[in-house]
Amino acid sequence: MAAYTRSMICLISMIERHAFLTTRSCVTVESKRYVRGLRRKPVRVLFPENETGKVVKVPQIQSDEPKIQRETRGRIISAGTQHHEERNSVRTRTDEQSATKHAFTVTKNEVDGLRYERASPGDKRLARLVSVARSRTFRDHQGKILLEGRRLICDALDAGAKPQTVFFSTVDRLRELPLDKLRRATLVKVKFEDIKLWSDVVAPQGVIAIFSRPDPARLNFASKGHSVPLSLICDNIRDPGNLGTMLRCAAAAGCHNALLTKGCVDVWEPKVLRAAMGAHFRLPIYPSLDWDDVENHLPKPVTVHVADRSREVEVNVSPEPSKAGDYGWVSSRPNRKNMEYEDSDSDSEHEGLSLPRVDTKLYYDSWAQSPTALVIGGETNGLSLEAVQLAEKTDGHRLFIPVVPDVDSLNSAMAASILLFEGRKQLLKLLQTSGKKRQCKAERQFP
């Protein structure tokens, strides 16, 4: 009997030792129990004096091994269930907070039903795309152009250009654009300091857009219905400001198109875009053309006139030079195709080329009496020899803008504006006269 009692006491001690394990601050503390087993029914279990703890009363044991195991298992299961419920509760609250935060973010990143992104601190898309759009090589390779400012972007969207990415500083700046035309573009909200860092203008407007380089044949030019049969040919214009101003004047004068020969500055350069003030999307522009391609873009028949930048007032005398180099308004070198190098004696080779015979005429005399093209040469090299040959071929003239003595000639942009508006006036007068004649003829036929 005594042996049975000792075995029961040892069993109870092992069970109680595993049951009363507590976790405090991620450290497991084992609460030791010392059982007094002189009787079958122990009275109570006490902690040692050197260990802190509460007195725990042990329930009475009656045939008692199964009952103790059940109670111990019940305590462990109840504790685990309570801990699992607490974890589920915390997880549910976290999920609810995350869903609420996500819903708030989606609502905050929408404007009039249009979703946009917020650039993270390390986002380099703006810097990368602006760098690409500023390089002519990358523009030609990737077919992207950069437009800055509300007016220029709106002009491009109205003409049917396709936006790829739009960077804006505030939602109000984005609302200034036609949002219905930005459905397929990526909208990114960035800091105004980032736009100011990459902007070329003095006072940035807080909006920069990257467009696919448009094909002039696919754009919708709203001002095409007001055009006159007048074309502008830019011959070796190197200055971006001058080229942009000339294109702006051509759009304002209602030109049919603008043709740019090889050697002109890139028409999609940001400085040209700003100087043109949206002219790229108001008239067809064909860049980087050979002279054979220039003739293919002109109507037939057409008369080609060239702008003479001579400073002389007297134009009644018709000079007859023996070689092209005698005049500063025309280059003595023809525009060779696929020229990889120049010989050292190339100047002497072309020095004896004879200048095509082209009569002179004052700009306000009648010279635009049929479909007309006007060639404006660069200020550095002047007109190319091919331009003068084309004028001779089509019975064109050298047009003078007389200035007072000792005054330098007008720059190419100013000369282009004067001649284009004079050509528009003459063509409109011709159209009105021909319209009246047709009306009178119709009235005579049908009295």
Side-chain angles (χ1 to χ4, degrees):
M1 186 68 182
Y4 177 76
T5 303
R6 283 195 301 271
S7 63
M8 290 296 298
I9 291 173
C10 292
L11 180 59
I12 293 172
S13 299
M14 292 177 62
I15 295 174
E16 292 295 327
R17 181 176 180 179
H18 289 287
F20 293 92
L21 294 178
T22 59
T23 303
R24 297 176 183 176
S25 302
C26 300
V27 178
T28 303
V29 179
E30 181 180 352
S31 300
K32 296 181 179 180
R33 307 290 184 181
Y34 295 87
V35 181
R36 184 176 178 180
L38 297 179
R39 300 191 182 101
R40 179 177 293 182
K41 297 181 180 180
V43 179
R44 58 183 177 178
V45 178
L46 299 176
F47 287 102
E49 294 180 357
N50 58 351
E51 294 183 15
T52 59
K54 294 176 64 177
V55 177
V56 180
K57 293 183 178 181
V58 179
Q60 295 181 353
I61 303 175
Q62 298 176 351
S63 171
D64 291 330
E65 180 177 354
K67 184 175 182 180
I68 292 174
Q69 292 178 354
R70 286 195 302 270
E71 291 179 355
T72 303
R73 190 181 299 110
R75 293 192 193 100
I76 296 174
I77 293 174
S78 62
T81 304
Q82 182 179 1
H83 180 65
H84 183 68
E85 291 177 354
E86 291 179 355
R87 288 182 60 185
N88 288 341
S89 177
V90 172
R91 185 181 300 173
T92 303
R93 289 197 300 270
T94 305
D95 293 342
E96 291 177 355
Q97 293 176 358
S98 177
T100 304
K101 183 179 180 181
H102 179 69
F104 177 73
T105 303
V106 170
T107 304
K108 191 175 182 180
N109 289 349
E110 287 187 0
V111 51
D112 298 338
L114 195 63
R115 293 287 301 276
Y116 65 88
E117 305 175 16
R118 289 179 179 271
S120 59
D123 197 330
K124 296 183 179 180
R125 281 179 292 179
L126 177 61
R128 183 172 62 254
L129 290 176
V130 171
S131 300
V132 168
R134 286 180 179 175
S135 171
R136 180 170 186 172
T137 303
F138 284 100
R139 278 198 302 268
D140 295 340
H141 180 67
Q142 298 191 11
K144 297 179 181 179
I145 60 173
L146 182 146
L147 304 180
E148 183 174 358
R150 181 190 63 83
R151 179 175 178 179
L152 194 56
I153 295 174
C154 289
D155 290 340
L157 293 174
D158 292 340
K162 297 180 180 180
Q164 292 184 350
T165 310
V166 179
F167 299 95
F168 61 97
S169 59
T170 61
V171 175
D172 292 337
R173 291 297 184 186
L174 184 62
R175 284 198 177 100
E176 293 177 353
L177 305 178
L179 299 181
D180 58 327
K181 299 179 181 179
L182 299 176
R183 299 293 178 184
R184 297 184 178 180
T186 302
L187 309 180
V188 184
K189 187 177 184 297
V190 298
K191 294 181 179 180
F192 181 76
E193 289 76 11
D194 296 337
I195 293 181
K196 187 176 181 181
L197 177 65
W198 292 101
S199 175
D200 284 338
V201 299
V202 178
Q205 298 183 20
V207 57
I208 295 177
I210 305 297
F211 280 74
S212 301
R213 189 168 58 184
D215 183 2
R218 297 183 178 181
L219 291 180
N220 179 25
F221 301 103
S223 59
K224 200 170 182 179
H226 304 279
S227 63
V228 293
L230 178 63
S231 299
L232 172 66
I233 302 175
C234 299
D235 183 15
N236 207 22
I237 304 297
R238 302 290 182 87
D239 185 80
N242 279 344
L243 180 59
T245 304
M246 292 166 64
L247 295 176
R248 184 178 180 182
C249 293
C255 287
H256 177 69
N257 56 16
L259 311 178
L260 279 62
T261 63
K262 289 183 177 179
C264 289
V265 66
D266 184 18
V267 71
W268 297 110
E269 184 177 322
K271 291 182 180 180
V272 179
L273 287 165
R274 289 197 302 272
M277 292 295 292
H280 293 71
F281 308 103
R282 290 188 171 88
L283 81 162
I285 301 175
Y286 299 93
S288 301
L289 300 177
D290 293 322
W291 281 102
D292 294 337
D293 297 329
V294 169
E295 294 187 47
N296 294 332
H297 284 84
L298 295 175
K300 298 184 188 301
V302 66
T303 305
V304 178
H305 303 279
V306 294
D308 191 343
R309 62 191 186 103
S310 173
R311 292 172 293 178
E312 298 293 335
V313 178
E314 299 289 339
V315 295
N316 294 327
V317 179
S318 188
E320 296 182 2
S322 59
K323 53 188 178 181
D326 291 343
Y327 276 99
W329 59 277
V330 59
S331 175
S332 61
R333 292 184 183 183
N335 187 8
R336 289 184 173 184
K337 298 179 182 178
N338 303 323
M339 181 181 293
E340 298 181 358
Y341 64 93
E342 295 180 358
D343 296 332
S344 59
D345 58 346
S346 58
D347 290 337
S348 60
E349 179 183 353
H350 300 290
E351 191 69 23
L353 288 177
S354 60
L355 185 69
R357 181 62 181 267
V358 180
D359 294 334
T360 59
K361 183 172 281 193
L362 289 169
Y363 79 99
Y364 47 78
D365 289 340
S366 58
W367 50 272
Q369 302 298 315
S370 61
T372 305
L374 176 66
V375 183
I376 306 292
E379 296 183 10
T380 303
N381 297 322
L383 293 167
S384 62
L385 189 59
E386 291 85 354
V388 186
Q389 290 173 348
L390 184 59
E392 180 189 35
K393 179 181 177 181
T394 59
D395 296 329
H397 295 85
R398 292 165 47 201
L399 302 179
F400 280 93
I401 302 176
V403 296
V404 298
D406 300 328
V407 176
D408 199 356
S409 61
L410 301 175
N411 72 356
S412 56
M414 294 298 296
S417 63
I418 294 173
L419 294 173
L420 288 175
F421 279 97
E422 178 63 28
R424 175 180 175 80
K425 183 184 74 173
Q426 295 181 15
L427 287 172
L428 288 177
K429 185 177 180 180
L430 178 65
L431 293 174
Q432 292 175 358
T433 303
S434 61
K436 291 179 179 179
K437 289 181 178 179
R438 286 195 299 268
Q439 183 178 0
C440 294
K441 185 177 180 180
E443 290 177 354
R444 288 195 299 268
Q445 292 178 354
F446 302 98

